[in-house]
Amino acid sequence: MRAHEVPQDDSVLEGRRRACYALDAQGRYVVVASRGWEVERIVNEHARDALREQLEAVRLQVLAGKVSALAYHMTVCQMDYRLLAANTGMSRFRVRRHLRPKVFARLSHAVLERYAHAFGLSVAELARLPGLGG
């Protein structure tokens, strides 16, 4: 893309700019400021909508007692059990087991702290869904 072709549409940047690489008149790569690209905004909106739908589906599963609150926080942080296992230093089997509400309810404070740290939450926040209190 040439420097004069770098998109300057309104986007998720909310008026800020970011650096993009483009070719100048001499064919060299230069850094050009961009306000964004409308296509980027549309794709990001679709991704946010999909994440909201996924989060609501997991929230309903938690409320129905099918999965623990751990599943909700994993979805918020866009983690799967493998990534969470790597971030906590636990086995994948153990993390998957903790997705069961009855097992999660019996976890020690030390294990809950490891999960809370991985999500950037307190132990109290980990055990509940936002806005529900429990």
Side-chain angles (χ1 to χ4, degrees):
M1 180 180 302
R2 298 280 177 192
H4 67 277
E5 298 171 334
V6 173
Q8 299 297 328
D9 303 333
D10 289 329
S11 73
V12 295
L13 298 177
E14 298 174 342
R16 296 180 301 248
R17 294 177 172 243
R18 73 154 171 254
C20 296
Y21 289 99
L23 296 173
D24 67 6
Q26 288 78 34
R28 297 176 303 209
Y29 281 100
V30 294
V31 177
V32 179
S34 173
R35 288 189 305 150
W37 191 23
E38 185 172 353
V39 171
E40 173 185 51
R41 181 188 58 78
I42 292 167
V43 168
N44 278 311
E45 284 177 7
H46 286 294
R48 276 193 301 266
D49 291 344
L51 183 59
R52 277 189 209 103
E53 289 173 11
Q54 182 183 11
L55 196 55
E56 180 60 15
V58 171
R59 188 182 75 81
L60 292 174
Q61 286 182 319
V62 172
L63 293 174
K66 294 179 181 177
V67 295
S68 69
L70 188 61
Y72 178 84
H73 295 293
M74 286 171 57
T75 305
V76 168
C77 294
Q78 297 180 340
M79 290 184 172
D80 64 4
Y81 70 92
R82 289 181 178 108
L83 183 57
L84 183 56
N87 285 328
T88 58
M90 291 187 229
S91 71
R92 291 179 292 183
F93 171 80
R94 197 169 171 201
V95 171
R96 287 187 71 170
R97 190 168 178 273
H98 296 166
L99 291 172
R100 292 193 266 166
K102 289 182 181 181
V103 176
F104 183 78
R106 294 189 316 255
L107 292 179
S108 70
H109 189 74
V111 172
L112 292 173
E113 281 182 336
R114 288 168 74 177
Y115 283 128
H117 180 73
F119 296 129
L121 300 171
S122 69
V123 173
E125 291 171 319
L126 179 68
R128 68 184 191 293
L129 299 180
L132 297 179

PDB file of all heavy atoms in Angstrom, residues 8 13-20 32-36:
ATOM      1  N   GLN A   8      -7.881   6.469   6.460  1.00  0.00           N
ATOM      2  CA  GLN A   8      -8.056   7.454   7.523  1.00  0.00           C
ATOM      3  C   GLN A   8      -9.510   7.486   7.968  1.00  0.00           C
ATOM      4  O   GLN A   8     -10.050   8.528   8.308  1.00  0.00           O
ATOM      5  CB  GLN A   8      -7.604   8.845   7.041  1.00  0.00           C
ATOM      6  CG  GLN A   8      -6.152   8.946   6.640  1.00  0.00           C
ATOM      7  CD  GLN A   8      -5.195   8.685   7.794  1.00  0.00           C
ATOM      8  OE1 GLN A   8      -5.497   8.982   8.943  1.00  0.00           O
ATOM      9  NE2 GLN A   8      -4.049   8.116   7.475  1.00  0.00           N
ATOM     10  N   LEU A  13     -10.204   3.145  17.014  1.00  0.00           N
ATOM     11  CA  LEU A  13      -9.144   3.942  17.637  1.00  0.00           C
ATOM     12  C   LEU A  13      -9.680   5.183  18.341  1.00  0.00           C
ATOM     13  O   LEU A  13      -8.953   5.847  19.071  1.00  0.00           O
ATOM     14  CB  LEU A  13      -8.098   4.352  16.590  1.00  0.00           C
ATOM     15  CG  LEU A  13      -7.370   3.199  15.918  1.00  0.00           C
ATOM     16  CD1 LEU A  13      -6.427   3.738  14.845  1.00  0.00           C
ATOM     17  CD2 LEU A  13      -6.612   2.367  16.917  1.00  0.00           C
ATOM     18  N   GLU A  14     -10.942   5.516  18.113  1.00  0.00           N
ATOM     19  CA  GLU A  14     -11.617   6.632  18.772  1.00  0.00           C
ATOM     20  C   GLU A  14     -10.826   7.941  18.691  1.00  0.00           C
ATOM     21  O   GLU A  14     -10.573   8.603  19.686  1.00  0.00           O
ATOM     22  CB  GLU A  14     -11.905   6.280  20.231  1.00  0.00           C
ATOM     23  CG  GLU A  14     -12.824   5.099  20.373  1.00  0.00           C
ATOM     24  CD  GLU A  14     -13.012   4.652  21.808  1.00  0.00           C
ATOM     25  OE1 GLU A  14     -12.199   5.021  22.675  1.00  0.00           O
ATOM     26  OE2 GLU A  14     -13.978   3.920  22.052  1.00  0.00           O
ATOM     27  N   GLY A  15     -10.428   8.283  17.478  1.00  0.00           N
ATOM     28  CA  GLY A  15      -9.744   9.556  17.263  1.00  0.00           C
ATOM     29  C   GLY A  15      -8.237   9.499  17.418  1.00  0.00           C
ATOM     30  O   GLY A  15      -7.543  10.418  17.014  1.00  0.00           O
ATOM     31  N   ARG A  16      -7.725   8.445  18.029  1.00  0.00           N
ATOM     32  CA  ARG A  16      -6.270   8.306  18.162  1.00  0.00           C
ATOM     33  C   ARG A  16      -5.711   7.808  16.847  1.00  0.00           C
ATOM     34  O   ARG A  16      -6.437   7.433  15.939  1.00  0.00           O
ATOM     35  CB  ARG A  16      -5.934   7.345  19.293  1.00  0.00           C
ATOM     36  CG  ARG A  16      -6.382   7.859  20.649  1.00  0.00           C
ATOM     37  CD  ARG A  16      -6.030   6.876  21.728  1.00  0.00           C
ATOM     38  NE  ARG A  16      -6.658   5.589  21.478  1.00  0.00           N
ATOM     39  CZ  ARG A  16      -7.612   5.055  22.206  1.00  0.00           C
ATOM     40  NH1 ARG A  16      -8.044   5.684  23.265  1.00  0.00           N
ATOM     41  NH2 ARG A  16      -8.137   3.888  21.911  1.00  0.00           N
ATOM     42  N   ARG A  17      -4.417   7.796  16.760  1.00  0.00           N
ATOM     43  CA  ARG A  17      -3.758   7.300  15.553  1.00  0.00           C
ATOM     44  C   ARG A  17      -2.812   6.170  15.911  1.00  0.00           C
ATOM     45  O   ARG A  17      -2.380   6.048  17.041  1.00  0.00           O
ATOM     46  CB  ARG A  17      -2.977   8.424  14.882  1.00  0.00           C
ATOM     47  CG  ARG A  17      -3.892   9.501  14.346  1.00  0.00           C
ATOM     48  CD  ARG A  17      -3.090  10.642  13.752  1.00  0.00           C
ATOM     49  NE  ARG A  17      -3.985  11.548  13.104  1.00  0.00           N
ATOM     50  CZ  ARG A  17      -3.968  11.803  11.803  1.00  0.00           C
ATOM     51  NH1 ARG A  17      -3.067  11.254  11.041  1.00  0.00           N
ATOM     52  NH2 ARG A  17      -4.833  12.632  11.281  1.00  0.00           N
ATOM     53  N   ARG A  18      -2.510   5.375  14.910  1.00  0.00           N
ATOM     54  CA  ARG A  18      -1.515   4.323  15.101  1.00  0.00           C
ATOM     55  C   ARG A  18      -0.592   4.307  13.894  1.00  0.00           C
ATOM     56  O   ARG A  18      -0.918   4.823  12.821  1.00  0.00           O
ATOM     57  CB  ARG A  18      -2.176   2.983  15.315  1.00  0.00           C
ATOM     58  CG  ARG A  18      -2.754   2.432  14.066  1.00  0.00           C
ATOM     59  CD  ARG A  18      -2.805   0.901  14.161  1.00  0.00           C
ATOM     60  NE  ARG A  18      -3.556   0.442  13.030  1.00  0.00           N
ATOM     61  CZ  ARG A  18      -4.780  -0.018  13.089  1.00  0.00           C
ATOM     62  NH1 ARG A  18      -5.400  -0.104  14.229  1.00  0.00           N
ATOM     63  NH2 ARG A  18      -5.407  -0.397  12.006  1.00  0.00           N
ATOM     64  N   ALA A  19       0.545   3.700  14.085  1.00  0.00           N
ATOM     65  CA  ALA A  19       1.544   3.651  13.023  1.00  0.00           C
ATOM     66  C   ALA A  19       1.271   2.489  12.083  1.00  0.00           C
ATOM     67  O   ALA A  19       0.954   1.386  12.519  1.00  0.00           O
ATOM     68  CB  ALA A  19       2.936   3.510  13.630  1.00  0.00           C
ATOM     69  N   CYS A  20       1.369   2.760  10.793  1.00  0.00           N
ATOM     70  CA  CYS A  20       1.248   1.741   9.757  1.00  0.00           C
ATOM     71  C   CYS A  20       2.450   1.872   8.827  1.00  0.00           C
ATOM     72  O   CYS A  20       2.993   2.968   8.657  1.00  0.00           O
ATOM     73  CB  CYS A  20      -0.017   1.945   8.929  1.00  0.00           C
ATOM     74  SG  CYS A  20      -1.528   1.760   9.855  1.00  0.00           S
ATOM     75  N   VAL A  32       3.492   5.639   8.582  1.00  0.00           N
ATOM     76  CA  VAL A  32       2.445   6.608   8.290  1.00  0.00           C
ATOM     77  C   VAL A  32       1.384   6.506   9.391  1.00  0.00           C
ATOM     78  O   VAL A  32       0.992   5.405   9.774  1.00  0.00           O
ATOM     79  CB  VAL A  32       1.791   6.323   6.913  1.00  0.00           C
ATOM     80  CG1 VAL A  32       0.683   7.317   6.610  1.00  0.00           C
ATOM     81  CG2 VAL A  32       2.838   6.317   5.815  1.00  0.00           C
ATOM     82  N   ALA A  33       0.927   7.646   9.895  1.00  0.00           N
ATOM     83  CA  ALA A  33      -0.122   7.651  10.918  1.00  0.00           C
ATOM     84  C   ALA A  33      -1.473   7.365  10.260  1.00  0.00           C
ATOM     85  O   ALA A  33      -1.768   7.876   9.185  1.00  0.00           O
ATOM     86  CB  ALA A  33      -0.155   8.994  11.626  1.00  0.00           C
ATOM     87  N   SER A  34      -2.271   6.537  10.919  1.00  0.00           N
ATOM     88  CA  SER A  34      -3.594   6.199  10.401  1.00  0.00           C
ATOM     89  C   SER A  34      -4.618   6.328  11.518  1.00  0.00           C
ATOM     90  O   SER A  34      -4.355   5.948  12.654  1.00  0.00           O
ATOM     91  CB  SER A  34      -3.607   4.770   9.860  1.00  0.00           C
ATOM     92  OG  SER A  34      -4.921   4.389   9.506  1.00  0.00           O
ATOM     93  N   ARG A  35      -5.797   6.858  11.179  1.00  0.00           N
ATOM     94  CA  ARG A  35      -6.902   6.925  12.146  1.00  0.00           C
ATOM     95  C   ARG A  35      -7.701   5.639  12.145  1.00  0.00           C
ATOM     96  O   ARG A  35      -8.584   5.456  12.968  1.00  0.00           O
ATOM     97  CB  ARG A  35      -7.818   8.096  11.817  1.00  0.00           C
ATOM     98  CG  ARG A  35      -7.195   9.444  12.130  1.00  0.00           C
ATOM     99  CD  ARG A  35      -8.167  10.563  12.010  1.00  0.00           C
ATOM    100  NE  ARG A  35      -8.780  10.566  10.687  1.00  0.00           N
ATOM    101  CZ  ARG A  35     -10.008  10.997  10.416  1.00  0.00           C
ATOM    102  NH1 ARG A  35     -10.759  11.465  11.389  1.00  0.00           N
ATOM    103  NH2 ARG A  35     -10.480  10.982   9.208  1.00  0.00           N
ATOM    104  N   GLY A  36      -7.427   4.731  11.217  1.00  0.00           N
ATOM    105  CA  GLY A  36      -8.113   3.449  11.174  1.00  0.00           C
ATOM    106  C   GLY A  36      -8.729   3.175   9.826  1.00  0.00           C
ATOM    107  O   GLY A  36      -8.525   3.912   8.864  1.00  0.00           O
TER     108      GLY A  36
END
